[in-house]
Amino acid sequence: MSIAMSYGLDQFVSDCRSILKRDPGPEGRDEVRSLLERLLSNKTFVEQYCGEHVPRGLKVLYEDPDLGFQILAHINDKARISPPHDHGASWAIYGQATKYTDIIEWAREDDGADPKHAKLKPVKKYRLTPGKAGIYQDGAIHSIDYPDYARFIRVTGTNLDKINRIKIDLKTGAVEQMYAQQAS
Ligand SMILES: [Fe+2]
């Protein structure tokens, strides 16, 4: 196999397009999740888009003009713990490139009737290691915790700048709206 045959970003984009056109639901997204793991097993891709030389911050690698999904690189240097949050009406897939991310998925114990208050309980905890990808379906509440230099590739169903999301303070249960795209 030549180097040109290794699984790269262009092929991943074109596979995402055809899969999500055919099946935009949970099963199609899980196919995208598997392919993201394949992409992250390509050391050349990881070095090119997540290596030491890459500028820090959040970079949009691709936005689909028809389907609206985005592929983003989160080039982090500093450790971070996010509060529990959702992605509004969008799903999200996180694929680990370097170091690891600990993820907790949360369920609401309240009935969701109070827009300013939520009571959460943890329902699933796992660690993403390099080459592994996890998925949150629509509206799933999750939090992430990663060390210095943890970098990841994220695929979201739509540009999160355009939709309302919430984050929840674990101590007080206060619900806050999030408006800008943040590295979480
Ligand atoms: Fe998130």
Side-chain angles (χ1 to χ4, degrees):
M1 221 186 236
S2 72
I3 286 170
M5 292 295 287
S6 65
Y7 194 73
L9 182 60
D10 290 349
Q11 187 62 50
F12 179 65
V13 164
S14 120
D15 287 346
C16 286
R17 279 181 59 82
S18 55
I19 290 165
L20 294 171
K21 243 180 206 166
R22 165 172 53 79
D23 182 0
E27 286 177 17
R29 300 164 198 170
D30 199 57
E31 287 183 55
V32 170
R33 189 195 59 75
S34 300
L35 288 175
L36 179 56
E37 292 190 338
R38 189 172 165 201
L39 180 65
L40 288 165
S41 74
N42 177 351
K43 301 260 184 295
T44 307
F45 168 82
V46 171
E47 177 52 30
Q48 184 177 349
Y49 291 97
C50 304
E52 183 52 41
H53 66 283
V54 179
R56 307 316 187 240
L58 177 61
K59 178 149 195 255
V60 179
L61 302 181
Y62 178 79
E63 176 165 358
D64 194 86
D66 308 316
L67 305 174
F69 68 87
Q70 286 192 328
I71 301 169
L72 307 114
H74 290 262
I75 307 305
N76 307 307
D77 264 348
K78 291 276 167 253
R80 178 167 182 265
I81 299 175
S82 84
H85 62 279
D86 72 6
H87 290 184
S90 177
W91 48 268
I93 298 166
Y94 286 76
Q96 197 71 26
T98 62
K99 297 293 179 81
Y100 63 85
T101 302
D102 285 327
I103 294 174
I104 303 176
E105 294 184 15
W106 304 84
R108 284 183 79 143
E109 289 190 292
D110 62 313
D111 61 7
D114 182 350
K116 291 198 168 1
H117 205 268
K119 193 168 187 306
L120 298 182
K121 63 173 180 201
V123 287
K124 196 172 163 188
K125 295 186 186 190
Y126 57 100
R127 173 169 287 188
L128 287 182
T129 53
K132 291 288 169 212
I135 185 165
Y136 314 119
Q137 302 290 357
D138 308 295
I141 298 169
H142 55 278
S143 55
I144 61 177
D145 180 346
Y146 57 75
D148 288 352
Y149 210 78
R151 299 175 171 193
F152 47 88
I153 300 293
R154 191 169 69 155
V155 185
T156 59
T158 186
N159 180 346
L160 297 183
D161 280 345
K162 295 178 183 163
I163 58 177
N164 290 334
R165 308 197 278 154
I166 58 166
K167 68 177 176 186
I168 297 141
D169 185 309
L170 267 185
K171 282 200 186 106
T172 63
V175 174
E176 265 182 70
Q177 291 291 327
M178 294 169 75
Y179 297 105
Q181 187 153 42
Q182 296 175 358
S184 54

